[in-house]
């Protein structure tokens, strides 16, 4: 691993991919929850539902562009050339490398997500496209890294796909709700919709977090074994510790909302408590962006066991 401009560019594109995918995933889920509250033009939850649809479309467009940027950086790195010369290598990477195959699956999933955002707000076709899109993006992203070293049908790759889905669901709900959707439910007439949606965000995020932690422990064990020395003496280990610190900070914000702000909001339904919940969620969303950035750097660093062969 060389810490040069190509590496930093590739990590930046990977982080943008992660954030955009999570934002699209979270927006789609929130849009599904808010659909019943937004059927009427004057419904209290209609503005929030509209924001979820717009953020889904915007996030998918960003995801597609970030995918293309990452492929270009990956081609330059694999060919050992400068970025402009990498354009000529893209077809070779796509058609002759496992990374190219994995990228094609992820890009195809992003196209399915784009179709789901364009076909309409509801319906079986949209939900099927969403489900397939999420699965394809997660499988492709997981296959781009070291998790695919054991083969396409390995348990390690399957668990990493689960980790990507769970992380994107947890992070996506926090990002989309805190940055785009829940701030649109600030009016007092929308307080009931806000409380119901906030409760769903909290509950589903908790379930996703359990899967994140379980699959994450496996990934750490696969990368470093049971060796604390391997974590302490490697760049990969240092980046991992930074990621864990940010995860702990996100858990603090999530815990504050779940055990303090949300119960109080359900009791009082006051504007102040509504703002408190949304503001803490926004801080958690900012932390989540940091987690995705560090996770991208981690996925582009060699784990200790891989470095030792």
């Amino acid at each position: 691993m060389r810490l040069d401009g190509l590496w930093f560019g590739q990590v930046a594109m990977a982080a943008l991919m992660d954030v955009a995918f999570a934002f699209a995933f979270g927006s789609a889920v929130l849009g599904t929850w808010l659909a019943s509250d937004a059927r009427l033009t004057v419904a209290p939850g209609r503005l929030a539902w509209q924001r979820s649809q717009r953020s889904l479309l915007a996030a998918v467009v960003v995801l597609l562009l970030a995918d293309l940027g990452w492929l270009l950086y990956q081609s330059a790195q694999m060919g050992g050339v400068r970025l402009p010369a990498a354009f000529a290598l893209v077809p070779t990477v796509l058609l002759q490398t496992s990374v190219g195959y994995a990228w094609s699956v992820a890009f195809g999933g992003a196209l399915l997500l784009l179709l789901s955002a364009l076909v309409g707000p509801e319906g079986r076709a949209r939900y099927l496209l969403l489900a397939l899109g999420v699965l394809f993006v997660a499988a492709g992203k997981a296959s781009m890294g070291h998790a695919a070293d054991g083969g396409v049908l390995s348990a390690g790759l399957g668990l990493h796909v689960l980790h990507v889905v769970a992380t994107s669901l947890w992070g996506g709900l926090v990002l989309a709700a805190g940055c785009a959707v829940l701030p649109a439910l600030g009016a007092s007439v929308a307080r009931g919709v806000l409380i119901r949606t906030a409760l769903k965000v909290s509950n589903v995020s908790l379930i996703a977090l359990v899967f994140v932690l379980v699959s994450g422990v496996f990934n750490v064990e696969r990368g470093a074994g049971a060796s604390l020395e391997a974590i302490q003496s490697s760049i990969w280990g240092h980046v991992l510790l930074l990621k864990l610190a940010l995860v702990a900070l996100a858990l603090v914000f999530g815990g504050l909302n779940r055990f303090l702000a949300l119960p109080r909001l359900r009791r009082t339904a006051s504007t102040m408590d509504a703002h408190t919940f949304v503001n803490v969620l926004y801080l958690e969303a900012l932390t989540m962006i940091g987690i995705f950035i560090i996770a991208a750097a981690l996925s582009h660093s060699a784990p200790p066991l891989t470095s030792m062969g």
Side-chain angles (χ1 to χ4, degrees):
M1 181 186 70
R2 292 176 55 190
L3 298 181
D4 55 9
L6 289 179
W7 184 87
F8 283 106
Q10 193 174 17
V11 168
M13 289 297 104
L16 189 57
M17 288 162 58
D18 291 345
V19 172
F21 174 51
F23 215 116
F25 194 2
S27 297
V29 173
L30 287 166
T32 301
W33 290 344
L34 290 166
S36 60
D37 292 309
R39 297 187 187 279
L40 300 177
T41 305
V42 295
R46 186 167 181 81
L47 178 58
W49 175 80
Q50 289 176 332
R51 285 197 180 184
S52 71
Q53 305 308 301
R54 293 167 186 165
S55 61
L56 168 60
L57 181 58
V60 172
V61 171
V62 172
L63 174 60
L64 289 168
L65 294 175
D67 279 345
L68 294 172
W70 184 90
L71 177 62
L72 188 61
Y73 275 101
Q74 177 69 17
S75 299
Q77 186 183 63
M78 294 180 71
V81 298
R82 295 179 181 273
L83 201 59
F87 285 96
L89 299 177
V90 169
T92 302
V93 172
L94 286 176
L95 298 175
Q96 299 183 18
T97 68
S98 59
V99 172
Y101 302 150
W103 180 92
S104 298
V105 172
F107 191 76
L111 290 176
L112 290 176
L113 291 177
L114 178 61
L115 287 176
S116 72
L118 297 176
V119 296
E122 295 183 70
R124 292 183 179 179
R126 187 192 196 199
Y127 296 141
L128 178 60
L129 289 171
L130 276 172
L132 290 176
V134 167
L135 180 60
F136 279 30
V137 172
K141 283 170 54 62
S143 301
M144 291 179 192
H146 299 289
D149 293 344
V152 176
L153 300 178
S154 65
L157 180 58
L159 276 173
H160 194 54
V161 171
L162 175 63
H163 184 74
V164 172
V165 172
T167 303
S168 299
L169 179 58
W170 173 38
L173 284 175
V174 172
L175 285 168
C179 297
V181 177
L182 292 194
L185 297 173
S188 57
V189 294
R191 195 59 38 81
V193 180
L194 172 63
I195 293 173
R196 290 196 299 273
T197 306
L199 186 60
K200 290 178 180 178
V201 169
S202 181
N203 289 338
V204 175
S205 295
L206 180 61
I207 295 172
L209 176 61
V210 172
F211 285 98
V212 169
L213 295 178
V214 172
S215 56
V217 168
F218 176 84
N219 284 339
V220 171
E221 195 281 331
R222 178 178 54 81
S227 173
L228 291 177
E229 181 181 355
I231 294 177
Q232 295 172 352
S233 61
S234 65
I235 296 177
W236 184 89
H238 295 162
V239 176
L240 173 65
L241 292 176
L242 179 57
K243 178 185 176 182
L244 293 178
L246 289 178
V247 169
L249 180 59
L251 291 178
V252 170
F253 288 132
L256 288 174
N257 258 347
R258 181 173 182 83
F259 298 111
L260 295 178
L262 184 55
R264 184 177 178 85
L265 174 61
R266 295 177 70 185
R267 288 195 307 268
T268 66
S270 69
T271 300
M272 180 179 294
D273 290 328
H275 288 169
T276 298
F277 180 88
V278 173
N279 289 339
V280 173
L281 190 64
Y282 179 73
L283 293 176
E284 186 180 355
L286 294 180
T287 306
M288 198 64 63
I289 293 174
I291 292 173
F292 282 124
I293 293 173
I294 299 302
L298 192 66
S299 66
H300 288 77
S301 304
L305 292 188
T306 301
S307 301
M308 294 185 296

